[in-house]
Every structure is written in C-alpha cells, then in structure tokens.
Amino acid sequence: MTPETYRKGTPGDGLRATRITREAGGRIVLDGVSVAPPSGATVGLLGPNGSGKTTLLRVMAGVLGPGAGVVTLDGRTLAETGRRAVARRVAVVDQHADTQIDLSVLDVVRLGRIPHRRPWSASGPEDEAAVHGALARTGLADRAAQSWHTLSGGERQRVQIARALAQQPRELLLDEPTNHLDIQHQLELLSLIAALPVTAVVALHDLNLAAMFCDRVVVMKEGRVVAGGTPSEVITEELVAEVYRVRAVVTPDGPDGRPSVRFLPGGAVHARYGHDERAGP
Amino acid sequence: MTRTEPAPDTETHPPPPAGTAVGTRILRDGLLWSAGIALLLLSVAVAVTIGPARISVPDVWSVVASHLGLGEGRLTPIRDGIIWNLRMPRTLLAAVCGAGLAVCGTVMQSLLRNPLADPFVLGVSSGASTGAVVVVVLGVGGGAVSVSGGAFVGALCSFALVLLLSHTLGGSTDRVVLSGVAAMQLFSALTSFVVMTAADAEQTRGVLFWLLGSLSGVGWGDVWTCSAVLAVTLLICLGHARTLDAFAFGQDAAAALGVHVARTRIVLLCATALLTAALVSSAGAIGFVGLVLPHAARALTGSGHRRLLPVTALAGAVFLVWVDTLARTVLDPQEVPVGVVTSLIGVPVFVLILHRTRRSA
C-alpha cells in the first residue's frame, strides 16, 4: 500500500496539472496547484468550501483554461490534444446535473458517445456496446427506458456515471458526486467509483468517506495544496484542525486500519498547526 | 490493489441484438418522414383551393404541371394567375416560414437551455423588423442594402443585446426571457418611432400590417430567397445535431463532451438570426410558431436533434399553411394578419409551458 505501488506509468503519463494559478473576480482561486493522480488510483480531493476543488476539476477537464500553469494528458497539453480527443479520455461528473428536456436514461448515457462520433455518422455497434456496457456496470441495464425526471438523486448520479463510462475514459473527474445523497447512496456510489478501472479524482466533503474509499487524498486550502498522500498519512488531528478549524479525534478504526474521524462538540479552532485554542463556550 | 486496465471493460458485455432495433428505427423514421411529406404536399394542394374563387385540387395539379412544362394548361389565364401567382407563392411561403421559425425555435431552445426561447419571444424578430423598416422607410444604404440585409443586421443586434443582458443578469431561464422582453420593447419602440416620424400614411399602413406578420402580397422571389436560406440553415443545424444534443445538461457538460461551446453558439445563433431575418423581411414578425412547434415535435420524436429538426420543420410547415388559410378566410373578405392568429394560439401554449416548467423546477 505504498504510494509507489501506483506509479506504474512513465512520468508525464495520464492527466497532470502543473502549477495551475487562476484568478476569478480579483481573487486568487488556485495558487500554483500541481496534481498528478497515479494511474488507476481513486484520489480524494478534500478541503473546505471555496478552497478551489471545483475550479481545479474544471481546469483539469479543460472546461476552464489553465491560467498560468499547464494541464497535460500523456505529456501533451489539453490544447494540443484537442477537445474531442480530451473528451474521449477524460470524463466529468458534476455535483448536480439537471435538464428540462425529457430524456430517457438511455438518451443520457448515449450522450457519452458524442466525442467518439463524426458529425454525420450514425451510431455503430461499438457505440451500442459501450452504452450497454456502461449501463450494466452501473446496474441500470433494466432502467434504460425510464425517464430522467422520475429518477431519485442517487439514480441520477449513477446515470451520469454511466454516461461518463460510455465515453470510455481512462480518467474520471467527479465534483462532490455524493452531495445531495443520503448515506446509503453515498456509500453505494463511492464503492462503485472506487471499483471502476479508471483513474478517478473525486472532490469530497466527508473525511470518513474519503478515508474509506480513496487510495490517496489531496487536501486543498485557500487555493493551495497543503497535504497529499495515503489517507493514513494525511488525515490527522493536526490537519483537520489546520484546514477545517475544528477539533477532532482521529483513530485507525476504519476498514483495513484506515483513519476514522470523530468531530468534537464546540471544537472550533482558531490556531494554525494544531495549537488549538478552544473557541466559544 | 493496482488497477491498470486502460478502459472500462465494455467488451465483456455483449451488445444487444442491435440489427432488428436499428431496422425498425429506420422503418419508423421512414414512415414518419413519408407521412409528414405527404401531409405537407396535401395541405399545400388543399389550402390553395380554399378562397373566394372556386378551384379544385385537379385544377391546382394541372396549373402546376403546365408551369413545370409537364402538360397543357386547361384553365383560363385569370384562374391560372390566381393559382400560380397569388395562392401558390403565398401557401409555399407559409410552409417555408413555418418550417424556418420552428427550426429557429428548436435550435434556440436547445442552445440556451430554455423551453421558452423563440425568435419572437427573444426579440430577434423585432430587431429584424426594425432593421427592415429603417431600410424601407428611411432609405438607409441608398438601395445598396436590401431589406433582408437590414433585417439581418437588426436581428444580430437584438440577439447580441439579449445575450449580453441575460449574461450580466446571471443567465438563468427567466433572465433570458426578461431580456427578450426588454429587447422586444426597445426595438418595437424604435420601429414605431421611425414609422411615426418618417413614413407617410400609406407606408404606415403597409408597414404595420407587415409588422404584425402577414403573408399577403408575397411573390415567387420571397419564396426562393426564404427557401434557399432555410435549406442552408437546416443543413448547418443538422450538421450540428449531435452537438446540440450535448447541450442537454448545460454548456459546461457540453464542453466536457468535447464541444467547442463558444464557436458552436456563434455559428448556430448567427444562422438562426439570418433565417429569422429572411423570414421577417418577407412575412413580418410571425410570433409563437418557433415556441410551440418544437415542443409538439419533441413529444413525437424524442429529443435527439437528428430526428427532431426535420420533423419540427415539417410540423411547422403544415401548421403555418393551415393557420394562414384560416387567417385569410375566417373574416372573408377581410384578412386577419397571420401573426395575430399564431399569437392567439401561441399565448395559451406559452402559459402551459410556463406552468409545466414551474412544476418540474
């Protein structure tokens, strides 16, 4: 379980963000952020609201420009690779996708084939195979005809993951995919994501879920990466105090001895690096 | 627990027996298409017979055949003229306008993710009217600029204004519609101002009738111009059919599917502005066709634009042929501007769509 286990590819392999710096509205949102998810790993992206997780994912997907830095796919920048070619490699699942158009589950999953098809061509057997493979993998094979608008939040996220898989990506970027789900569906969705044969970068709020399902975690604060490594290395009482400003007890009680975080009441912390001073009553 | 497989193992899931499904789909599409074209041809033929002068479908056929060089005309020159020079171009232009407005509405609704988008609601038709009136009444351009050219510039200005306004206001569905209302009011006021200050009484009457949307007094030239622009725009839109599908979940989702969002928007919005301008400079601002027909067509074909666009065009054509027939016969011998009738039909449907989006929101 050492980090080196995942470093299979040559340097420059896969999707890499290097020294990304971006401003929005006169504020620095990302400040020299570099991320290199190891091939095949599930990487948790942690940090409080406004720490830059969503912006980083949008830059890595090529939806936003990289500002002062560079995002590469197998050593070539996204601009050199081209939009369609990027979309055949990198798929994105947003935290809350919705549409006013009346679409079936199958319609939505078929959208994932758009980057693979030429403008005037009809859908071929490999498109159908990819779509049905993605439906089967996400357990939606018998729901293909159902209307999007009749699905629950958890089912919609599963459909979006199926659509992303129909793109046949090697990299999957997910922005808080569990945000609107109850705990059962959060666990279901994350075990599905962790079992996928892709490199996944998942922005998450919940430290325990990240510890449970991620091979590595990257922690962001105010646009900077402040920690990176395995969950056991990174998720500590000191880090929770520094990044989230709350007191917590971290014990190795999770599955496989992974860290388990228990927050303490009245535990807001106003100090840096664990020099905690209790605030409030 | 290293996982190094390059891609999801879709190969392990055999595809369903696709051959039969694709076969039935092609058959169903073919049937829908033939039925639609047959319905359109029949509608045109029957609509031409309706009016003060008594004419039968075989009469129409014989006149069309003689003008295409396929047979001897057996009607008097007056009846021939009524069919070939008055009713045929008018009915055909109704079909072209209906198809064009419906296609514009479909593309705008998908691109702006707004079920209420339509050239009329967004003020594009008003902008085109202003441009056309400026050329006709003020004589701007001194004859070098055609009415269609003025209408195109007006349509683009109004589109740009709506997009700019809605963008600065946050870009949500209701903001886009409100920006459209603002643009429509502004350009209507400009048009009225130009007409009131510069036009004589005769011009004013003609301009106002045309602003309400009317197909009276059109000729073959209008039919050819509008058909050509419709054909080009429809081809461009069909070439972008899959790209339009990608906008279902918004422009970020489209970008993540490999779509050049900005380029697609500019190309398609310019194409729809051009088509709107051509239609407005021939027939005036006919409202609500582009709003209503795409919704009806989606119910028929589903949301995939490759099938939706042609079906919307056919449905719009048949719809406007009959609405125009109604408009010119219901108060016979007086004529109601066709835009008045489409608005009378369109407004209740507009309310219905508003009600539905409120419920799903």
Side-chain angles (χ1 to χ4, degrees), chain A residues 202-213:
Chain A
V202 197
L204 283 173
H205 257 308
D206 190 313
L207 295 174
N208 283 310
L209 288 177
M212 222 184 292
F213 290 103

Side-chain angles (χ1 to χ4, degrees), chain A residues 42-166:
Chain A
T42 300
V43 179
L45 197 55
L46 301 176
N49 285 339
S51 58
K53 304 188 294 287
T54 298
T55 310
L56 177 62
L57 288 177
R58 283 159 58 97
V59 169
M60 288 177 79
V63 174
L64 282 180
V70 63
V71 180
T72 54
L73 192 58
D74 290 348
R76 300 172 69 208
T77 67
L78 294 188
E80 285 165 2
T81 310
R83 271 198 180 287
R84 268 163 52 96
V86 170
R88 288 195 286 261
R89 271 288 300 272
V90 183
V92 181
V93 175
D94 272 328
Q95 58 173 296
H96 187 68
D98 202 3
T99 179
Q100 291 188 326
I101 302 168
D102 195 19
L103 295 170
S104 71
V105 168
L106 188 62
D107 291 333
V108 178
V109 178
R110 281 211 172 115
L111 293 178
R113 298 309 295 170
I114 288 173
H116 291 269
R117 286 161 68 178
R118 302 237 131 250
W120 291 94
S121 67
S123 103
E126 67 274 25
D127 294 315
E128 294 301 307
V131 166
H132 288 277
L135 285 170
R137 177 122 220 158
T138 47
L140 292 163
D142 52 345
R143 312 287 287 272
Q146 200 176 333
S147 161
W148 165 267
H149 293 283
T150 63
L151 299 174
S152 71
E155 290 165 341
R156 288 182 180 192
Q157 285 301 53
R158 258 180 31 224
V159 173
Q160 287 298 333
I161 288 173
R163 186 268 305 153
L165 291 181

Side-chain angles (χ1 to χ4, degrees), chain B residues 97-139:
Chain B
C97 278
L101 290 170
V103 167
C104 285
T106 309
V107 171
M108 288 179 182
Q109 286 170 14
S110 301
L111 219 48
L112 304 176
R113 291 187 81 205
N114 192 326
L116 299 175
D118 149 65
F120 190 74
V121 173
L122 292 191
V124 180
S125 300
S126 307
S129 301
T130 306
V133 164
V134 165
V135 171
V136 170
V137 176
L138 297 185

Side-chain angles (χ1 to χ4, degrees), chain A residues 2 19 146 174 206 271 278:
Chain A
T2 58
R19 291 191 301 280
Q146 200 176 333
L174 304 101
D206 190 313
R278 204 178 276 244

Side-chain angles (χ1 to χ4, degrees), chain B residues 147-188:
Chain B
V147 179
S148 317
F152 181 54
V153 173
L156 276 187
C157 286
S158 131
F159 224 146
L161 178 71
V162 170
L163 293 182
L164 197 73
L165 263 181
S166 61
H167 183 75
T168 48
L169 292 174
S172 60
T173 302
D174 51 338
R175 295 303 151 103
V176 175
V177 173
L178 289 177
S179 307
V181 171
M184 195 178 354
Q185 292 301 325
L186 172 68
F187 283 100
S188 300

